[in-house]
């Protein structure tokens, strides 16, 4: 019977089982080919396997060797097929036991010197091995990462092909690798360093408590980037199930160094020149984009209107559903992307630097053109839109405020504990539950309806005001949503208009 082993192909952050079969066909000419919809890295595997065998003084059997990666219709990408192909061929040659090859899921790249090199995705590969009840063979450098998959799954992490062969001969037995270090949430800059800006700090706290998207609009140097950097410090550390979830994505992107996982929530701040593929994933190499790397954490877009409008609009889907679907050759792949969007911008391109330092020389046109780069549907998804006014010298001269990150984080943790009882964070509450838990009192309802008419709120915005109001009530530990909560939630949506008015000296018709 032909030799076979198992490997994986990645679809989003998930690893799907691939059967690696070596068939010996009859024929005069010796050949070695790999079939099964592989990309260039997979087809080049042949050459790396051939070179690694030569480094061990082995030559491929002079037969027609066909390596089939099944299922044949699923695209396969990456260099991690080298090792499974080598293992299956070694089993076919009788150098490794055939049953050992069959009982393992194999994953790793080969160097021409027969060293086994790490490849991205060791953690999801180990999770897939666990689910399929197979032992795992992975590169030595990926052992610490794979060991996080848990269970009592046996893991072999050889550094070279010869070590693997010796292990099965019984001359050099490999020990099971231990999981890498778990870093506790690291110390982040403190909110206490931000002077003044009480309104913006309050909005940051509401955003952190209910996982709301936040846009800060204000002139240069008012502390927008400074405050965004302080948001991760307000968020609770990742729960164990979230940790695995997030780490799987970072593993596929090859970002877990030495198997080190961290309980800090991801904070990604891509530059505004980011391409669509960099932002949402996909492209020639199926890699998670920034939006997925920010899964369960924060995606910070500084200078929001400077991003390509199409790139911004590609975030509309994940902002609504928490996942991204990218089209591949003959499949659609979904990446998780439940991130919290935090964005910062100046009200107009010149940043508000007019003659008196406040108003813009070019008048309202400058702000209109600049803000038009952000589409209405995109803005509609941002629950909190706040004006961050310039900091005054008097503010800067103030002593450090009594409350900082620690105090706010305690209140946020309590508000999140209340939300956990409902099964969802307020930003993701399904509308039927929202109607039930965020029904405002009579005065609150009247105010909301009035604002909805006056400001032409969309149904989405209407619900988003209710979600923010629910979070404000949770921060106060109140059961019911009252007028005062609705009023604050509505005020937290008017930042763009307020900032524009401050910079151009007049309100825009569109606001
Ligand atoms: N409220 C504040 N309290 C203390 N320092 C501040 C405050 N605001 C700004 N600063 C100081 O100014 C620097 C610049 O602030 P920051 O980069 O956050 O401004 P910004 O609003 O993001 O500006 P830009 O629009 O140009 O990006 C900070 O690093 C900090 O030293
Ligand atoms: Mg900035």
């Amino acid at each position: 019977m032909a030799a076979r082993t198992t490997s994986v192909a990645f679809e989003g952050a998930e690893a799907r089982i691939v059967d690696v079969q070596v068939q010996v066909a009859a024929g005069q000419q010796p050949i070695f080919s790999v079939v099964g919809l592989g990309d260039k890295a997979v087809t080049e595997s042949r050459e790396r396997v051939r070179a690694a065998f030569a480094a061990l003084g082995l030559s491929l059997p002079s037969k027609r060797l066909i390596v089939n990666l099944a299922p044949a219709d699923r695209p396969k990408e990456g260099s991690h097929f080298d090792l499974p192909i080598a293992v299956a061929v070694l089993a076919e040659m009788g150098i490794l036991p055939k049953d050992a090859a069959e009982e393992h899921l194999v994953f790793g790249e080969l160097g021409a010197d027969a060293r086994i090199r790490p490849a991205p995705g060791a953690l999801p590969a180990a999770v897939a091995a666990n689910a399929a009840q197979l032992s795992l063979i992975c590169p030595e450098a990926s052992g610490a990462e794979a060991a996080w998959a848990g269970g009592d799954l046996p893991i072999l992490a050889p550094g070279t092909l010869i070590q693997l062969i010796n292990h099965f001969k019984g001359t050099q037995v490999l020990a099971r690798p231990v999981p890498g270090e778990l870093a506790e949430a690291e110390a982040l800059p403190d909110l206490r360093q931000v002077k003044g800006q009480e309104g913006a700090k309050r909005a940051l706290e509401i955003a952190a408590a209910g996982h709301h998207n936040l846009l800060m609009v204000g002139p240069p140097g008012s502390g927008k980037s400074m405050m965004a950097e302080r948001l991760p410090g307000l968020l609770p550390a990742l729960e164990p199930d979230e940790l695995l979830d997030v780490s799987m994505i970072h593993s596929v992107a090859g970002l877990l160094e030495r198997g080190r996982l961290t309980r800090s929530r991801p904070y990604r701040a891509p530059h505004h020149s980011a391409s669509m593929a960099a932002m949402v994933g996909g492209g020639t190499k199926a890699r998670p984009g920034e939006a997925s790397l920010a899964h369960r954490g924060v995606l910070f877009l500084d200078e929001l209107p400077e991003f390509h409008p199409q790139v911004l609009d590609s975030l509309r889907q994940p902002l609504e559903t928490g996942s991204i679907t990218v089209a591949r050759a003959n499949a659609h792949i979904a990446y998780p992307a439940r991130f919290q969007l935090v964005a910062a911008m100046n009200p107009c391109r010149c940043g508000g630097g007019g003659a008196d330092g406040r108003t813009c020389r070019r008048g309202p046109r400058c702000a209109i053109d600049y803000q038009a780069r952000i589409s209405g549907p995109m803005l509609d998804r941002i629950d909190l839109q706040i004006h961050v006014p310039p900091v005054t010298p008097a503010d800067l001269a103030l002593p450090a405020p009594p409350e900082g990150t620690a105090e706010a984080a305690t209140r946020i943790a309590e508000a999140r504990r209340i939300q956990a009882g409902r099964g969802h964070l307020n930003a993701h509450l399904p509308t039927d539950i929202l109607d039930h838990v965020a029904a405002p009192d009579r005065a609150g309802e009247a105010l909301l309806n009035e604002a909805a008419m006056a400001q032409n709120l969309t149904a989405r915005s209407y619900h988003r005001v209710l979600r923010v109001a629910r979070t404000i009530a949770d921060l106060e530990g109140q059961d019911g949503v009252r007028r005062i909560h609705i009023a604050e939630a509505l005020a937290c949506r008017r930042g763009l208009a307020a900032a524009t008015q401050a910079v151009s000296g007049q309100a825009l018709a569109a606001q």
Side-chain angles (χ1 to χ4, degrees), residues 6-8 10 41 45 48-49 78-87 105-111 115-122 125 136-142 156-159 161 164:
T6 304
S7 192
V8 285
F10 295 105
S45 264
R48 287 190 295 271
V49 171
S79 56
H80 64 271
F81 287 101
D82 296 358
L83 192 57
I85 292 174
V87 164
L105 188 150
V106 191
F107 171 90
E109 183 184 315
L110 273 180
R115 268 182 222 274
I116 302 174
R117 298 164 48 82
L136 180 75
I137 299 175
C138 71
E140 186 177 25
S142 306
L156 297 177
L161 208 48
L164 183 66

mmCIF file of all heavy atoms in Angstrom, residues 6-8 10 41 45 48-49 78-87 105-111 115-122 125 136-142 156-159 161 164:
data_model
loop_
_atom_site.group_PDB
_atom_site.id
_atom_site.type_symbol
_atom_site.label_atom_id
_atom_site.label_comp_id
_atom_site.label_asym_id
_atom_site.label_seq_id
_atom_site.Cartn_x
_atom_site.Cartn_y
_atom_site.Cartn_z
ATOM 1 N N THR A 6 -0.535 12.966 7.180
ATOM 2 C CA THR A 6 -1.547 14.018 7.206
ATOM 3 C C THR A 6 -0.871 15.363 7.405
ATOM 4 O O THR A 6 0.145 15.447 8.090
ATOM 5 C CB THR A 6 -2.521 13.741 8.385
ATOM 6 O OG1 THR A 6 -3.038 12.435 8.211
ATOM 7 C CG2 THR A 6 -3.656 14.725 8.428
ATOM 8 N N SER A 7 -1.432 16.401 6.790
ATOM 9 C CA SER A 7 -0.972 17.757 7.068
ATOM 10 C C SER A 7 -2.204 18.670 7.089
ATOM 11 O O SER A 7 -3.324 18.163 7.214
ATOM 12 C CB SER A 7 0.052 18.219 6.031
ATOM 13 O OG SER A 7 0.671 19.403 6.492
ATOM 14 N N VAL A 8 -1.979 19.955 6.973
ATOM 15 C CA VAL A 8 -3.112 20.889 7.017
ATOM 16 C C VAL A 8 -2.989 21.952 5.931
ATOM 17 O O VAL A 8 -1.888 22.276 5.486
ATOM 18 C CB VAL A 8 -3.197 21.630 8.372
ATOM 19 C CG1 VAL A 8 -3.714 20.741 9.472
ATOM 20 C CG2 VAL A 8 -1.877 22.270 8.757
ATOM 21 N N PHE A 10 -4.526 25.980 5.379
ATOM 22 C CA PHE A 10 -5.195 27.009 6.178
ATOM 23 C C PHE A 10 -6.330 27.667 5.405
ATOM 24 O O PHE A 10 -6.184 28.026 4.243
ATOM 25 C CB PHE A 10 -4.193 28.073 6.629
ATOM 26 C CG PHE A 10 -3.184 27.497 7.564
ATOM 27 C CD1 PHE A 10 -1.894 27.228 7.145
ATOM 28 C CD2 PHE A 10 -3.549 27.168 8.859
ATOM 29 C CE1 PHE A 10 -0.979 26.653 8.003
ATOM 30 C CE2 PHE A 10 -2.643 26.594 9.725
ATOM 31 C CZ PHE A 10 -1.358 26.334 9.294
ATOM 32 N N ALA A 41 4.942 27.786 -3.614
ATOM 33 C CA ALA A 41 5.725 27.245 -2.486
ATOM 34 C C ALA A 41 5.545 25.733 -2.388
ATOM 35 O O ALA A 41 6.478 25.005 -2.053
ATOM 36 C CB ALA A 41 5.293 27.916 -1.192
ATOM 37 N N SER A 45 8.355 22.573 -3.145
ATOM 38 C CA SER A 45 8.645 21.589 -2.093
ATOM 39 C C SER A 45 9.533 20.464 -2.617
ATOM 40 O O SER A 45 10.434 20.009 -1.933
ATOM 41 C CB SER A 45 7.345 20.940 -1.637
ATOM 42 O OG SER A 45 6.870 21.579 -0.528
ATOM 43 N N ARG A 48 13.125 21.280 -2.472
ATOM 44 C CA ARG A 48 13.677 21.335 -1.103
ATOM 45 C C ARG A 48 13.792 19.932 -0.527
ATOM 46 O O ARG A 48 14.758 19.606 0.157
ATOM 47 C CB ARG A 48 12.818 22.242 -0.209
ATOM 48 C CG ARG A 48 12.989 23.726 -0.511
ATOM 49 C CD ARG A 48 12.328 24.593 0.536
ATOM 50 N NE ARG A 48 10.877 24.434 0.540
ATOM 51 C CZ ARG A 48 10.057 25.167 -0.205
ATOM 52 N NH1 ARG A 48 10.530 26.108 -0.990
ATOM 53 N NH2 ARG A 48 8.751 24.955 -0.158
ATOM 54 N N VAL A 49 12.796 19.068 -0.794
ATOM 55 C CA VAL A 49 12.854 17.685 -0.299
ATOM 56 C C VAL A 49 14.045 16.969 -0.939
ATOM 57 O O VAL A 49 14.843 16.307 -0.263
ATOM 58 C CB VAL A 49 11.533 16.942 -0.613
ATOM 59 C CG1 VAL A 49 11.649 15.455 -0.322
ATOM 60 C CG2 VAL A 49 10.393 17.559 0.192
ATOM 61 N N GLY A 78 1.724 27.593 1.045
ATOM 62 C CA GLY A 78 2.730 27.643 2.103
ATOM 63 C C GLY A 78 3.802 26.580 1.973
ATOM 64 O O GLY A 78 3.658 25.603 1.234
ATOM 65 N N SER A 79 4.882 26.825 2.728
ATOM 66 C CA SER A 79 6.046 25.943 2.639
ATOM 67 C C SER A 79 5.976 24.801 3.646
ATOM 68 O O SER A 79 6.871 23.973 3.696
ATOM 69 C CB SER A 79 7.297 26.773 2.901
ATOM 70 O OG SER A 79 7.151 27.420 4.154
ATOM 71 N N HIS A 80 4.888 24.743 4.454
ATOM 72 C CA HIS A 80 4.852 23.727 5.512
ATOM 73 C C HIS A 80 4.541 22.327 4.994
ATOM 74 O O HIS A 80 4.471 21.390 5.785
ATOM 75 C CB HIS A 80 3.834 24.133 6.578
ATOM 76 C CG HIS A 80 2.425 24.178 6.062
ATOM 77 N ND1 HIS A 80 1.874 25.309 5.502
ATOM 78 C CD2 HIS A 80 1.464 23.231 5.997
ATOM 79 C CE1 HIS A 80 0.630 25.054 5.124
ATOM 80 N NE2 HIS A 80 0.368 23.787 5.409
ATOM 81 N N PHE A 81 4.353 22.189 3.665
ATOM 82 C CA PHE A 81 4.103 20.847 3.113
ATOM 83 C C PHE A 81 5.397 20.068 2.877
ATOM 84 O O PHE A 81 5.359 18.879 2.591
ATOM 85 C CB PHE A 81 3.295 20.942 1.806
ATOM 86 C CG PHE A 81 1.849 21.306 2.030
ATOM 87 C CD1 PHE A 81 1.407 22.602 1.833
ATOM 88 C CD2 PHE A 81 0.931 20.365 2.471
ATOM 89 C CE1 PHE A 81 0.085 22.954 2.056
ATOM 90 C CE2 PHE A 81 -0.389 20.696 2.704
ATOM 91 C CZ PHE A 81 -0.814 21.996 2.494
ATOM 92 N N ASP A 82 6.562 20.764 3.007
ATOM 93 C CA ASP A 82 7.846 20.079 2.767
ATOM 94 C C ASP A 82 7.991 18.847 3.647
ATOM 95 O O ASP A 82 8.296 17.751 3.164
ATOM 96 C CB ASP A 82 9.035 21.001 3.106
ATOM 97 C CG ASP A 82 9.117 22.225 2.221
ATOM 98 O OD1 ASP A 82 8.277 22.355 1.315
ATOM 99 O OD2 ASP A 82 10.029 23.046 2.444
ATOM 100 N N LEU A 83 7.810 19.066 4.961
ATOM 101 C CA LEU A 83 8.071 17.978 5.907
ATOM 102 C C LEU A 83 7.091 16.820 5.727
ATOM 103 O O LEU A 83 7.542 15.663 5.682
ATOM 104 C CB LEU A 83 8.064 18.528 7.340
ATOM 105 C CG LEU A 83 8.597 17.583 8.417
ATOM 106 C CD1 LEU A 83 10.016 17.123 8.122
ATOM 107 C CD2 LEU A 83 8.562 18.259 9.793
ATOM 108 N N PRO A 84 5.769 17.076 5.608
ATOM 109 C CA PRO A 84 4.887 15.926 5.380
ATOM 110 C C PRO A 84 5.232 15.163 4.099
ATOM 111 O O PRO A 84 5.162 13.922 4.076
ATOM 112 C CB PRO A 84 3.481 16.531 5.294
ATOM 113 C CG PRO A 84 3.655 18.002 5.267
ATOM 114 C CD PRO A 84 4.988 18.308 5.847
ATOM 115 N N ILE A 85 5.631 15.887 3.056
ATOM 116 C CA ILE A 85 5.983 15.189 1.810
ATOM 117 C C ILE A 85 7.220 14.316 2.075
ATOM 118 O O ILE A 85 7.262 13.137 1.704
ATOM 119 C CB ILE A 85 6.216 16.204 0.667
ATOM 120 C CG1 ILE A 85 4.892 16.878 0.295
ATOM 121 C CG2 ILE A 85 6.851 15.534 -0.547
ATOM 122 C CD1 ILE A 85 4.993 18.006 -0.717
ATOM 123 N N ALA A 86 8.222 14.894 2.780
ATOM 124 C CA ALA A 86 9.442 14.137 3.063
ATOM 125 C C ALA A 86 9.128 12.908 3.917
ATOM 126 O O ALA A 86 9.638 11.809 3.657
ATOM 127 C CB ALA A 86 10.443 15.036 3.776
ATOM 128 N N VAL A 87 8.236 13.099 4.911
ATOM 129 C CA VAL A 87 7.907 11.972 5.805
ATOM 130 C C VAL A 87 7.216 10.859 5.011
ATOM 131 O O VAL A 87 7.536 9.673 5.165
ATOM 132 C CB VAL A 87 7.030 12.467 6.983
ATOM 133 C CG1 VAL A 87 6.351 11.318 7.700
ATOM 134 C CG2 VAL A 87 7.878 13.274 7.958
ATOM 135 N N LEU A 105 0.209 14.038 12.308
ATOM 136 C CA LEU A 105 -0.051 15.178 11.447
ATOM 137 C C LEU A 105 1.287 15.914 11.365
ATOM 138 O O LEU A 105 1.905 16.189 12.390
ATOM 139 C CB LEU A 105 -1.128 16.065 12.068
ATOM 140 C CG LEU A 105 -1.650 17.207 11.203
ATOM 141 C CD1 LEU A 105 -3.108 17.503 11.569
ATOM 142 C CD2 LEU A 105 -0.848 18.480 11.335
ATOM 143 N N VAL A 106 1.756 16.162 10.149
ATOM 144 C CA VAL A 106 3.118 16.668 9.973
ATOM 145 C C VAL A 106 3.078 18.067 9.365
ATOM 146 O O VAL A 106 2.277 18.349 8.468
ATOM 147 C CB VAL A 106 3.935 15.712 9.074
ATOM 148 C CG1 VAL A 106 5.403 16.080 9.108
ATOM 149 C CG2 VAL A 106 3.743 14.274 9.504
ATOM 150 N N PHE A 107 3.974 18.911 9.836
ATOM 151 C CA PHE A 107 3.910 20.333 9.495
ATOM 152 C C PHE A 107 5.306 20.921 9.608
ATOM 153 O O PHE A 107 5.950 20.773 10.635
ATOM 154 C CB PHE A 107 2.960 20.965 10.529
ATOM 155 C CG PHE A 107 2.894 22.439 10.513
ATOM 156 C CD1 PHE A 107 1.972 23.081 9.722
ATOM 157 C CD2 PHE A 107 3.754 23.193 11.293
ATOM 158 C CE1 PHE A 107 1.895 24.455 9.712
ATOM 159 C CE2 PHE A 107 3.691 24.566 11.288
ATOM 160 C CZ PHE A 107 2.750 25.197 10.487
ATOM 161 N N GLY A 108 5.854 21.516 8.568
ATOM 162 C CA GLY A 108 7.164 22.172 8.692
ATOM 163 C C GLY A 108 7.844 22.353 7.345
ATOM 164 O O GLY A 108 7.560 21.646 6.381
ATOM 165 N N GLU A 109 8.723 23.354 7.306
ATOM 166 C CA GLU A 109 9.480 23.629 6.076
ATOM 167 C C GLU A 109 10.848 22.963 6.187
ATOM 168 O O GLU A 109 11.390 22.810 7.275
ATOM 169 C CB GLU A 109 9.641 25.160 5.958
ATOM 170 C CG GLU A 109 10.340 25.611 4.708
ATOM 171 C CD GLU A 109 10.556 27.135 4.680
ATOM 172 O OE1 GLU A 109 9.626 27.884 4.998
ATOM 173 O OE2 GLU A 109 11.685 27.538 4.341
ATOM 174 N N LEU A 110 11.406 22.580 5.038
ATOM 175 C CA LEU A 110 12.733 21.953 5.043
ATOM 176 C C LEU A 110 13.760 22.898 4.435
ATOM 177 O O LEU A 110 13.492 23.548 3.426
ATOM 178 C CB LEU A 110 12.713 20.692 4.190
ATOM 179 C CG LEU A 110 12.297 19.384 4.860
ATOM 180 C CD1 LEU A 110 12.351 18.272 3.842
ATOM 181 C CD2 LEU A 110 13.188 19.056 6.052
ATOM 182 N N GLY A 111 14.932 22.941 5.065
ATOM 183 C CA GLY A 111 16.040 23.674 4.462
ATOM 184 C C GLY A 111 16.822 22.704 3.581
ATOM 185 O O GLY A 111 16.695 21.478 3.724
ATOM 186 N N ARG A 115 17.665 20.798 7.690
ATOM 187 C CA ARG A 115 17.122 21.370 8.932
ATOM 188 C C ARG A 115 15.625 21.568 8.746
ATOM 189 O O ARG A 115 15.155 21.809 7.631
ATOM 190 C CB ARG A 115 17.722 22.750 9.184
ATOM 191 C CG ARG A 115 18.948 22.736 10.014
ATOM 192 C CD ARG A 115 19.379 24.182 10.217
ATOM 193 N NE ARG A 115 20.813 24.285 10.092
ATOM 194 C CZ ARG A 115 21.646 24.080 11.101
ATOM 195 N NH1 ARG A 115 21.182 23.770 12.288
ATOM 196 N NH2 ARG A 115 22.940 24.179 10.928
ATOM 197 N N ILE A 116 14.886 21.486 9.869
ATOM 198 C CA ILE A 116 13.430 21.705 9.786
ATOM 199 C C ILE A 116 13.158 23.124 10.266
ATOM 200 O O ILE A 116 13.482 23.474 11.394
ATOM 201 C CB ILE A 116 12.668 20.660 10.617
ATOM 202 C CG1 ILE A 116 13.046 19.257 10.104
ATOM 203 C CG2 ILE A 116 11.176 20.892 10.524
ATOM 204 C CD1 ILE A 116 12.481 18.137 10.918
ATOM 205 N N ARG A 117 12.605 23.916 9.374
ATOM 206 C CA ARG A 117 12.429 25.341 9.668
ATOM 207 C C ARG A 117 10.975 25.634 10.043
ATOM 208 O O ARG A 117 10.065 24.969 9.562
ATOM 209 C CB ARG A 117 12.820 26.170 8.443
ATOM 210 C CG ARG A 117 14.293 26.002 8.046
ATOM 211 C CD ARG A 117 14.525 26.520 6.647
ATOM 212 N NE ARG A 117 13.928 27.823 6.489
ATOM 213 C CZ ARG A 117 14.503 28.969 6.878
ATOM 214 N NH1 ARG A 117 15.702 28.960 7.394
ATOM 215 N NH2 ARG A 117 13.883 30.115 6.717
ATOM 216 N N PRO A 118 10.761 26.652 10.905
ATOM 217 C CA PRO A 118 9.376 26.956 11.309
ATOM 218 C C PRO A 118 8.565 27.540 10.155
ATOM 219 O O PRO A 118 9.119 28.146 9.245
ATOM 220 C CB PRO A 118 9.558 27.998 12.421
ATOM 221 C CG PRO A 118 10.896 28.595 12.180
ATOM 222 C CD PRO A 118 11.741 27.549 11.530
ATOM 223 N N ALA A 119 7.274 27.331 10.204
ATOM 224 C CA ALA A 119 6.362 27.936 9.223
ATOM 225 C C ALA A 119 5.183 28.482 10.022
ATOM 226 O O ALA A 119 4.891 27.987 11.115
ATOM 227 C CB ALA A 119 5.904 26.888 8.222
ATOM 228 N N PRO A 120 4.494 29.524 9.515
ATOM 229 C CA PRO A 120 3.369 30.086 10.275
ATOM 230 C C PRO A 120 2.231 29.074 10.439
ATOM 231 O O PRO A 120 2.027 28.229 9.563
ATOM 232 C CB PRO A 120 2.906 31.268 9.417
ATOM 233 C CG PRO A 120 3.940 31.475 8.388
ATOM 234 C CD PRO A 120 4.711 30.215 8.243
ATOM 235 N N GLY A 121 1.534 29.164 11.554
ATOM 236 C CA GLY A 121 0.318 28.356 11.729
ATOM 237 C C GLY A 121 0.482 27.105 12.580
ATOM 238 O O GLY A 121 -0.375 26.215 12.536
ATOM 239 N N ALA A 122 1.568 27.013 13.377
ATOM 240 C CA ALA A 122 1.788 25.791 14.161
ATOM 241 C C ALA A 122 0.654 25.560 15.172
ATOM 242 O O ALA A 122 0.256 24.423 15.412
ATOM 243 C CB ALA A 122 3.128 25.865 14.887
ATOM 244 N N ALA A 125 -2.454 24.197 13.530
ATOM 245 C CA ALA A 125 -2.132 22.839 13.062
ATOM 246 C C ALA A 125 -2.204 21.866 14.238
ATOM 247 O O ALA A 125 -2.759 20.765 14.108
ATOM 248 C CB ALA A 125 -0.736 22.820 12.440
ATOM 249 N N LEU A 136 1.550 14.924 16.661
ATOM 250 C CA LEU A 136 2.025 16.015 15.804
ATOM 251 C C LEU A 136 3.533 15.955 15.619
ATOM 252 O O LEU A 136 4.268 15.688 16.574
ATOM 253 C CB LEU A 136 1.645 17.352 16.460
ATOM 254 C CG LEU A 136 2.078 18.605 15.697
ATOM 255 C CD1 LEU A 136 1.199 18.845 14.477
ATOM 256 C CD2 LEU A 136 2.010 19.844 16.608
ATOM 257 N N ILE A 137 3.972 16.190 14.391
ATOM 258 C CA ILE A 137 5.400 16.426 14.148
ATOM 259 C C ILE A 137 5.504 17.848 13.618
ATOM 260 O O ILE A 137 4.884 18.183 12.592
ATOM 261 C CB ILE A 137 5.979 15.444 13.113
ATOM 262 C CG1 ILE A 137 5.853 14.001 13.607
ATOM 263 C CG2 ILE A 137 7.448 15.778 12.812
ATOM 264 C CD1 ILE A 137 6.293 12.931 12.606
ATOM 265 N N CYS A 138 6.246 18.700 14.337
ATOM 266 C CA CYS A 138 6.393 20.086 13.890
ATOM 267 C C CYS A 138 7.841 20.511 14.077
ATOM 268 O O CYS A 138 8.613 19.802 14.722
ATOM 269 C CB CYS A 138 5.441 20.988 14.664
ATOM 270 S SG CYS A 138 5.907 21.208 16.380
ATOM 271 N N PRO A 139 8.250 21.646 13.532
ATOM 272 C CA PRO A 139 9.637 22.081 13.685
ATOM 273 C C PRO A 139 9.968 22.360 15.151
ATOM 274 O O PRO A 139 9.086 22.755 15.924
ATOM 275 C CB PRO A 139 9.692 23.381 12.872
ATOM 276 C CG PRO A 139 8.505 23.342 11.982
ATOM 277 C CD PRO A 139 7.462 22.564 12.687
ATOM 278 N N GLU A 140 11.234 22.182 15.507
ATOM 279 C CA GLU A 140 11.681 22.433 16.880
ATOM 280 C C GLU A 140 11.286 23.852 17.325
ATOM 281 O O GLU A 140 10.780 24.056 18.415
ATOM 282 C CB GLU A 140 13.205 22.274 16.932
ATOM 283 C CG GLU A 140 13.779 22.374 18.322
ATOM 284 C CD GLU A 140 15.293 22.142 18.319
ATOM 285 O OE1 GLU A 140 15.934 22.370 17.271
ATOM 286 O OE2 GLU A 140 15.809 21.735 19.359
ATOM 287 N N ALA A 141 11.482 24.811 16.404
ATOM 288 C CA ALA A 141 11.206 26.213 16.750
ATOM 289 C C ALA A 141 9.725 26.475 16.948
ATOM 290 O O ALA A 141 9.338 27.512 17.486
ATOM 291 C CB ALA A 141 11.750 27.124 15.663
ATOM 292 N N SER A 142 8.838 25.569 16.488
ATOM 293 C CA SER A 142 7.388 25.778 16.657
ATOM 294 C C SER A 142 6.842 24.954 17.814
ATOM 295 O O SER A 142 5.643 25.035 18.109
ATOM 296 C CB SER A 142 6.636 25.365 15.389
ATOM 297 O OG SER A 142 7.150 26.018 14.274
ATOM 298 N N LEU A 156 6.188 15.787 18.581
ATOM 299 C CA LEU A 156 7.614 15.645 18.296
ATOM 300 C C LEU A 156 8.051 16.932 17.621
ATOM 301 O O LEU A 156 7.406 17.383 16.670
ATOM 302 C CB LEU A 156 7.872 14.481 17.337
ATOM 303 C CG LEU A 156 7.485 13.087 17.837
ATOM 304 C CD1 LEU A 156 7.739 12.058 16.746
ATOM 305 C CD2 LEU A 156 8.276 12.746 19.093
ATOM 306 N N ALA A 157 9.141 17.515 18.108
ATOM 307 C CA ALA A 157 9.609 18.777 17.512
ATOM 308 C C ALA A 157 11.097 18.649 17.169
ATOM 309 O O ALA A 157 11.947 19.206 17.854
ATOM 310 C CB ALA A 157 9.341 19.928 18.469
ATOM 311 N N PRO A 158 11.400 17.909 16.104
ATOM 312 C CA PRO A 158 12.804 17.725 15.724
ATOM 313 C C PRO A 158 13.386 18.973 15.063
ATOM 314 O O PRO A 158 12.658 19.742 14.440
ATOM 315 C CB PRO A 158 12.751 16.571 14.719
ATOM 316 C CG PRO A 158 11.372 16.635 14.147
ATOM 317 C CD PRO A 158 10.477 17.212 15.198
ATOM 318 N N GLY A 159 14.692 19.158 15.222
ATOM 319 C CA GLY A 159 15.364 20.300 14.602
ATOM 320 C C GLY A 159 15.840 19.956 13.202
ATOM 321 O O GLY A 159 15.987 20.842 12.356
ATOM 322 N N LEU A 161 15.909 16.643 9.972
ATOM 323 C CA LEU A 161 15.293 15.411 9.474
ATOM 324 C C LEU A 161 15.966 14.189 10.093
ATOM 325 O O LEU A 161 15.305 13.189 10.404
ATOM 326 C CB LEU A 161 15.428 15.399 7.946
ATOM 327 C CG LEU A 161 14.383 14.638 7.146
ATOM 328 C CD1 LEU A 161 12.971 14.976 7.590
ATOM 329 C CD2 LEU A 161 14.549 14.958 5.656
ATOM 330 N N LEU A 164 14.590 13.274 13.419
ATOM 331 C CA LEU A 164 13.289 12.603 13.313
ATOM 332 C C LEU A 164 13.489 11.121 12.981
ATOM 333 O O LEU A 164 12.857 10.241 13.577
ATOM 334 C CB LEU A 164 12.450 13.292 12.223
ATOM 335 C CG LEU A 164 11.049 12.747 12.039
ATOM 336 C CD1 LEU A 164 10.199 13.028 13.279
ATOM 337 C CD2 LEU A 164 10.369 13.381 10.823
#
